[in-house]
Coordinates of all heavy atoms in Angstrom, one line a residue:
Chain A
G490 N -36.4 -204.5 59.8 CA -36.5 -204.3 58.4 C -37.5 -205.4 57.8 O -38.3 -205.1 57.0
G491 N -37.4 -206.6 58.3 CA -38.3 -207.7 57.8 C -39.7 -207.4 58.3 O -40.7 -207.6 57.6
N492 N -39.8 -207.0 59.6 CA -41.1 -206.6 60.1 C -41.8 -205.5 59.2 O -43.0 -205.6 59.0 CB -41.0 -206.1 61.5 CG -40.4 -207.0 62.6 OD1 -40.0 -206.6 63.7 ND2 -40.3 -208.3 62.3
I493 N -41.0 -204.6 58.8 CA -41.5 -203.5 58.0 C -41.9 -204.0 56.6 O -43.0 -203.7 56.0 CB -40.5 -202.3 57.9 CG1 -40.4 -201.7 59.3 CG2 -41.0 -201.3 56.9 CD1 -39.2 -200.7 59.4
A494 N -41.0 -204.8 56.0 CA -41.3 -205.3 54.7 C -42.5 -206.2 54.6 O -43.1 -206.3 53.5 CB -40.1 -206.1 54.2
T495 N -42.9 -206.8 55.7 CA -44.1 -207.6 55.7 C -45.3 -207.0 56.5 O -46.3 -207.7 56.7 CB -43.8 -209.0 56.4 OG1 -43.3 -208.8 57.7 CG2 -42.8 -209.8 55.6
N496 N -45.1 -205.8 57.0 CA -46.1 -205.2 57.9 C -46.5 -206.2 59.0 O -47.7 -206.5 59.1 CB -47.3 -204.7 57.1 CG -48.2 -203.8 57.9 OD1 -47.8 -203.3 59.0 ND2 -49.4 -203.6 57.4
A497 N -45.5 -206.6 59.7 CA -45.7 -207.7 60.7 C -46.7 -207.3 61.8 O -46.8 -206.1 62.1 CB -44.4 -208.1 61.3
G498 N -47.4 -208.3 62.3 CA -48.4 -208.0 63.3 C -47.9 -208.6 64.6 O -46.8 -208.3 65.1
G499 N -48.7 -209.4 65.2 CA -48.4 -210.1 66.5 C -49.6 -210.1 67.4 O -50.7 -209.9 67.0
L500 N -49.3 -210.2 68.7 CA -50.3 -210.4 69.7 C -50.9 -209.1 70.2 O -52.1 -209.0 70.6 CB -49.8 -211.1 71.0 CG -49.8 -212.7 70.9 CD1 -48.9 -213.2 69.8 CD2 -49.3 -213.3 72.2
L501 N -50.2 -208.0 70.1 CA -50.6 -206.7 70.7 C -51.3 -205.8 69.7 O -51.6 -204.6 70.1 CB -49.3 -206.0 71.2 CG -48.5 -206.7 72.3 CD1 -47.2 -205.9 72.6 CD2 -49.3 -206.9 73.6
C502 N -51.6 -206.2 68.5 CA -52.0 -205.2 67.4 C -53.4 -204.6 67.7 O -53.5 -203.4 67.3 CB -52.0 -205.9 66.1 SG -50.4 -206.5 65.6
A503 N -54.3 -205.3 68.2 CA -55.6 -204.7 68.4 C -55.5 -203.5 69.3 O -56.2 -202.5 69.0 CB -56.6 -205.7 69.0
K504 N -54.7 -203.5 70.3 CA -54.5 -202.4 71.1 C -53.4 -201.4 70.6 O -53.6 -200.2 70.7 CB -54.2 -202.8 72.6 CG -54.1 -201.7 73.6 CD -54.2 -202.1 75.0 CE -54.1 -200.9 75.9 NZ -54.1 -201.3 77.4
Y505 N -52.3 -201.9 70.2 CA -51.1 -201.1 69.9 C -50.8 -200.9 68.4 O -49.8 -200.2 68.1 CB -49.9 -201.6 70.7 CG -50.1 -201.4 72.2 CD1 -50.3 -202.5 73.0 CD2 -50.1 -200.2 72.8 CE1 -50.4 -202.4 74.4 CE2 -50.2 -200.0 74.1 CZ -50.4 -201.1 74.9 OH -50.6 -201.0 76.3
G506 N -51.6 -201.5 67.5 CA -51.4 -201.3 66.1 C -50.4 -202.2 65.4 O -49.6 -202.9 66.1
V507 N -50.4 -202.3 64.1 CA -49.5 -203.1 63.3 C -48.3 -202.3 63.0 O -48.2 -201.1 63.4 CB -50.2 -203.6 62.0 CG1 -51.3 -204.6 62.3 CG2 -50.7 -202.4 61.2
T508 N -47.3 -202.9 62.3 CA -46.0 -202.2 62.0 C -46.2 -200.9 61.3 O -45.5 -199.9 61.6 CB -45.1 -203.1 61.2 OG1 -44.9 -204.3 62.0 CG2 -43.8 -202.5 60.9
R509 N -47.1 -200.9 60.4 CA -47.4 -199.6 59.6 C -47.5 -198.4 60.5 O -47.0 -197.3 60.2 CB -48.6 -199.7 58.7 CG -48.7 -198.6 57.7 CD -50.1 -198.6 57.1 NE -51.0 -198.2 58.1 CZ -52.4 -198.1 57.9 NH1 -52.9 -198.5 56.8 NH2 -53.2 -197.8 58.9
E510 N -48.3 -198.6 61.6 CA -48.5 -197.5 62.5 C -47.3 -197.1 63.3 O -47.3 -196.1 64.0 CB -49.7 -197.8 63.4 CG -51.0 -197.6 62.7 CD -52.0 -198.7 62.9 OE1 -52.7 -198.7 63.9 OE2 -52.1 -199.6 62.1
A511 N -46.2 -197.9 63.3 CA -45.1 -197.7 64.1 C -43.9 -197.1 63.2 O -42.8 -196.9 63.7 CB -44.6 -198.9 64.8
V512 N -44.2 -196.8 61.9 CA -43.1 -196.4 61.1 C -43.4 -194.9 60.7 O -44.4 -194.6 60.0 CB -43.0 -197.2 59.8 CG1 -41.8 -196.7 58.9 CG2 -42.7 -198.7 60.2
L513 N -42.4 -194.0 61.0 CA -42.6 -192.6 60.6 C -41.9 -192.3 59.3 O -42.4 -191.4 58.6 CB -42.0 -191.7 61.7 CG -42.6 -191.8 63.1 CD1 -41.8 -191.0 64.1 CD2 -44.0 -191.3 63.1
G514 N -40.8 -192.9 59.0 CA -40.1 -192.6 57.8 C -39.1 -193.7 57.5 O -38.8 -194.6 58.3
L515 N -38.7 -193.7 56.2 CA -37.8 -194.8 55.7 C -36.7 -194.2 54.9 O -36.9 -193.2 54.2 CB -38.6 -195.8 54.9 CG -39.7 -196.7 55.6 CD1 -40.5 -197.4 54.6 CD2 -39.0 -197.6 56.7
D516 N -35.6 -194.9 54.9 CA -34.5 -194.7 53.9 C -34.6 -195.9 53.0 O -34.5 -197.0 53.4 CB -33.1 -194.6 54.6 CG -33.1 -193.6 55.7 OD1 -33.7 -192.5 55.5 OD2 -32.5 -193.9 56.8
V517 N -34.7 -195.6 51.7 CA -34.9 -196.6 50.7 C -34.0 -196.5 49.5 O -33.9 -195.4 49.0 CB -36.4 -196.5 50.2 CG1 -36.7 -197.6 49.2 CG2 -37.4 -196.5 51.4

Side-chain angles (χ1 to χ4, degrees):
Chain A
N492 297 165
I493 294 171
T495 57
N496 192 15
L500 275 61
L501 299 173
C502 300
K504 183 163 182 184
Y505 293 109
V507 294
T508 299
R509 192 195 66 186
E510 280 137 83
V512 180
L513 298 172
L515 293 171
D516 306 318
V517 181

